[in-house]
C-alpha cells in the first residue's frame, strides 16, 4: 500500500492535483471534491447512520477541507487528512444530535418513519424496511460506547481501515488504537449478547 | 479464538455496510458547496475589514494621545520648574512659621 493510501482503496487523484488545489487553484479543488465525493459520502452514511443528513455532513467536510488545504504538509498525507476531517465532522454531528431536542417526527425510530412512509405512499419495500431495521439495530448497539469509540470502531469494522491507517487518521500510536478498539468492541459485544446475540428480525 | 457472538457481530457489520445506502448523484452538491465557500470567504473578508478598521482606529487614537501628551509635556515641565522655583523663594518665609517654631522647639523641650 502506498504511503497516503488508506484501506478504502487506491488514492484516487494524482499528487500534482492535490498540490494545485493546495496552492489555491479552485478548478483543481473542484476536481478533488468530484473525485472523492462519493467515497466520503458513503463513509459518512455508515458513520452517522442517517441517510437524510449525509449530504449536509459531507458539505461540512469539503468546506473544512477547502479552508485547511494550506495546513496539509504533503500530498501524501491527503487521504488520512480527508478521513480525519470526515471523522471530526461526523463526531460533531453525533454530538449535536445528542444535544438537540428531537422534533416530533424524529422521536419516531427510523423504521417507524419508514413504516409511516410506507403507509402514506406505499413506497418502502420490504427490503428497505429490513435495511433500516439493521441500521437502527446497529446504531442502538453502538449507543453503548462513546461517540469517539463508535466512530473508531466503524472505521475499523465497517470501513475496513487497518490499525496502521487509523494511527495516521487519528494521530495516536498503534497501541492506543488497539486498546481503544478492543474496549469498544467488548462493550458493543456485550450489548449485542444482551440483545440475544443475533440479527434483528427482518 | 472467536466466540459465536464475535462472528455474528462481524457478520452484522457486513450487513450494516450493505444496509447503508450508497450516495446517489447529488446534482446540487457542487453548487451548494461553492456557495458555502463563497459565503464563508465573504464573511472572512468582512471580519478582516473590521479587524483592520479597529486596528487603524486604535493606532490613530494612540497617535493622537501621544501627540496631545507631547504638546502638554513642555508646559507641565515649565510649570513644575516654576513651582520649584517659587517653593525655593518661599522657603525662608516658612522658617518663621508657627509649625517650624514648634519643630525646632521640641528637641530643647525633651532635653529638659
Amino acid at each position: 500500500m502506498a504511503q497516503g493510501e488508506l484501506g478504502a482503496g487506491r488514492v484516487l487523484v494524482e499528487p500534482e492535483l492535490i498540490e494545485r488545489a493546495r496552492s489555491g487553484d479552485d478548478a483543481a479543488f473542484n476536481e478533488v471534491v468530484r473525485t472523492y465525493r462519493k467515497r466520503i459520502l458513503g463513509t459518512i452514511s455508515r458513520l452517522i447512520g442517517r441517510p437524510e443528513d449525509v449530504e449536509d455532513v459531507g458539505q461540512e467536510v469539503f468546506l473544512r477541507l477547502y479552508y485547511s488545504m494550506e495546513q496539509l504538509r504533503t500530498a501524501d498525507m491527503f487521504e488520512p487528512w480527508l478521513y480525519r476531517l470526515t471523522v471530526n465532522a461526523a463526531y460533531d454531528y453525533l454530538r449535536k444530535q445528542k444535544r438537540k431536542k428531537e422534533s416530533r417526527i424524529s422521536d419516531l425510530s427510523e423504521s417507524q418513519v419508514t413504516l409511516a412512509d410506507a403507509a402514506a405512499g406505499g413506497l418502502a419495500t420490504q427490503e428497505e424496511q429490513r435495511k433500516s431495521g439493521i441500521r437502527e439495530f446497529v446504531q442502538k448497539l453502538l449507543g453503548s460506547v462513546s461517540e469517539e469509540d463508535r466512530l473508531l470502531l466503524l472505521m475499523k469494522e465497517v470501513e475496513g481501515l487497518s490499525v496502521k491507517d487509523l494511527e495516521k487518521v487519528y494521530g495516536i500510536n498503534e497501541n492506543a488504537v488497539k486498546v481503544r478498539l478492543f474496549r469498544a468492541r467488548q462493550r458493543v459485544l456485550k450489548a449485542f449478547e444482551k440483545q440475544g446475540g443475533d440479527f434483528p428480525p427482518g | 479464538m472467536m466466540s459465536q457472538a464475535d462472528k455474528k457481530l462481524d457478520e452484522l457489520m457486513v450487513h450494516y455496510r450493505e444496509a447503508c445506502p450508497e450516495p446517489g448523484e447529488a446534482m446540487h452538491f457542487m453548487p451548494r458547496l461553492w456557495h458555502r465557500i463563497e459565503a464563508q470567504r465573504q464573511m472572512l473578508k468582512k471580519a478582516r475589514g473590521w479587524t483592520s478598521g479597529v486596528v487603524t482606529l486604535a493606532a490613530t487614537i494612540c497617535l493622537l494621545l501621544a501627540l496631545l501628551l507631547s504638546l502638554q509635556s513642555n508646559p507641565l515641565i515649565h510649570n513644575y520648574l516654576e513651582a520649584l522655583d517659587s517653593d525655593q523663594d518661599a522657603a525662608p518665609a516658612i522658617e518663621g512659621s508657627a509649625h517650624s517654631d514648634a519643630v525646632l522647639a521640641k528637641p530643647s523641650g525633651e532635653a529638659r
Side-chain angles (χ1 to χ4, degrees), chain A:
Chain A
M1 203 187 285
Q3 203 191 340
E5 190 178 321
L6 294 185
R10 63 188 174 81
V11 180
L12 301 178
V13 290
E14 295 296 319
E16 291 76 33
L17 190 71
I18 309 278
E19 284 299 335
R20 272 173 47 213
R22 203 160 68 98
S23 58
D25 183 339
D26 283 353
F29 179 77
N30 210 37
E31 194 54 41
V32 170
V33 178
R34 275 186 197 285
T35 312
Y36 276 95
R37 188 189 67 85
K38 207 168 178 188
R39 189 195 275 188
I40 293 301
L41 291 190
T43 299
I44 294 168
S45 163
R46 294 179 285 273
L47 290 181
I48 69 172
R50 280 196 178 222
E52 65 274 21
D53 293 331
V54 170
E55 208 177 302
D56 286 341
V57 181
Q59 290 266 328
E60 192 58 38
V61 170
F62 288 111
L63 184 70
R64 288 180 191 185
L65 177 69
Y66 184 83
Y67 284 104
S68 64
M69 281 297 270
E70 285 172 9
Q71 292 170 37
L72 190 66
R73 273 168 290 156
T74 59
D76 274 355
M77 285 304 288
F78 176 72
E79 278 202 356
W81 181 260
L82 183 57
Y83 272 88
R84 186 183 296 187
L85 293 175
T86 306
V87 170
N88 284 344
Y91 176 72
D92 290 344
Y93 169 85
L94 292 172
R95 291 294 297 262
K96 226 181 270 174
Q97 281 298 113
K98 204 176 177 184
R99 281 198 305 263
K100 208 165 118 186
K101 271 263 173 213
E102 298 283 321
S103 66
R104 237 174 159 188
I105 185 76
S106 304
D107 277 338
L108 299 173
S109 67
E110 198 195 337
S111 53
Q112 282 172 313
V113 173
T114 311
L115 284 173
D117 280 349
L123 296 170
T125 63
Q126 218 174 4
E127 180 60 12
E128 278 166 356
Q129 281 180 43
R130 189 189 67 86
K131 282 180 176 177
S132 79
I134 291 176
R135 285 201 296 271
E136 202 188 323
F137 183 71
V138 171
Q139 292 299 329
K140 205 171 160 187
L141 286 183
L142 293 169
S144 57
V145 292
S146 67
E147 282 85 6
E148 294 96 323
D149 288 347
R150 162 194 184 144
L151 293 172
L152 185 68
L153 200 62
L154 284 173
M155 289 297 272
K156 169 81 171 63
E157 308 278 345
V158 181
E159 291 304 301
L161 267 69
S162 68
V163 174
K164 280 263 175 235
D165 294 334
L166 291 169
E167 200 184 333
K168 280 190 228 164
V169 172
Y170 281 80
I172 55 175
N173 72 48
E174 199 180 325
N175 278 339
V177 173
K178 279 182 183 168
V179 168
R180 282 182 67 173
L181 271 173
F182 178 77
R183 284 185 188 155
R185 192 177 160 100
Q186 288 306 306
R187 275 195 210 115
V188 173
L189 201 61
K190 213 171 168 183
F192 185 46
E193 281 170 338
K194 236 185 219 174
Q195 297 280 326
D198 212 345
F199 297 165

Side-chain angles (χ1 to χ4, degrees), chain B residues 70-80:
Chain B
S70 74
L71 282 174
Q72 279 187 344
S73 63
N74 284 343
L76 272 180
I77 290 169
H78 185 67
N79 288 344
Y80 177 64

